[in-house]
């Protein structure tokens, strides 16, 4: 697994299009399990997934991690017994890009809900 | 990978021996890269490891996760691009057990410093 052959992630370019507050509000209504929290003036999109134990948490972390590597855009993943919390945001633009929402939706598909 | 055949973790018994503040201070001096932070009245032992990218972060997360499964005592792991933060504490006793320090030391061995 290497990032060297992956094209530059569109959301990670300094001139990437940051979503407006209105766009964020619209997108997040489509993902009712996700929340937007602003930390150090940067809105972050996060969801906690409940799983059965630590092994399942680690397995889901790997599935999300592999997705992130395939796209070249990386979340923060908190892995603990019975739970994985996924946070997406776009560091370069200090905000949310539409790719963050697209990947949030793909995480939901990976866990099966 | 399953926890079903793993003996119950000693630190996860309700009557496990919680370390005193003095013992914690003594142990943490032996692990200078680790810090103790008290969250919701529970001391937690944590260290951030810098790595080169996301793939290395995920790989280290898996090594720590496999160690945790082999012992039956589980940390919180924060995986992000270039960094993994490991937090150990013993939920059942709402404190730190000597196993938390033993596993912190083993994490250092896993990363190679």
């Amino acid at each position: 697994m290497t990032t060297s052959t992956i094209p530059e992630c569109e959301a990670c370019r300094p001139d990437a299009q940051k979503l407006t507050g209105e766009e964020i509000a619209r997108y997040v209504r489509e993902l009712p399990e996700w929340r937007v929290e602003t930390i150090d003036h940067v809105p972050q999109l996060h969801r906690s997934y409940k799983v059965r134990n630590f092994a399942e948490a680690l397995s889901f972390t790997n599935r999300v991690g592999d997705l992130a590597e395939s796209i070249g855009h990386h979340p923060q993943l908190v892995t603990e017994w019975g739970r994985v919390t996924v946070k997406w945001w776009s560091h370069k633009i200090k905000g949310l890009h539409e790719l963050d929402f697209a990947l949030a939706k793909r995480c939901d598909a990976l866990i099966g809900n």
Side-chain angles (χ1 to χ4, degrees), chain A residues 19-31 36 101:
Chain A
L19 293 175
T20 65
E22 204 172 296
E23 288 167 327
I24 290 171
R26 192 172 68 235
Y27 279 135
V28 87
R29 278 198 295 273
E30 294 178 35
L31 296 173
V36 175
F101 282 90

Side-chain angles (χ1 to χ4, degrees), chain A residues 85-103:
Chain A
T85 303
V86 183
K87 276 190 187 177
W88 293 103
W89 74 98
S90 295
H91 299 70
K92 280 278 169 60
I93 56 174
K94 294 185 170 61
L96 287 167
H97 184 273
E98 58 184 21
L99 183 63
D100 293 306
F101 282 90
L103 288 170

Side-chain angles (χ1 to χ4, degrees), chain A residues 56-91:
Chain A
E56 284 197 5
L58 195 57
S59 168
F60 184 60
T61 290
N62 277 292
R63 292 202 299 281
V64 176
D66 289 346
L67 166 66
E69 278 290 276
S70 74
I71 302 291
H73 190 58
H74 301 95
Q76 184 191 75
L77 295 163
V78 183
T79 311
E80 53 202 319
W81 199 97
R83 185 165 56 185
V84 178
T85 303
V86 183
K87 276 190 187 177
W88 293 103
W89 74 98
S90 295
H91 299 70

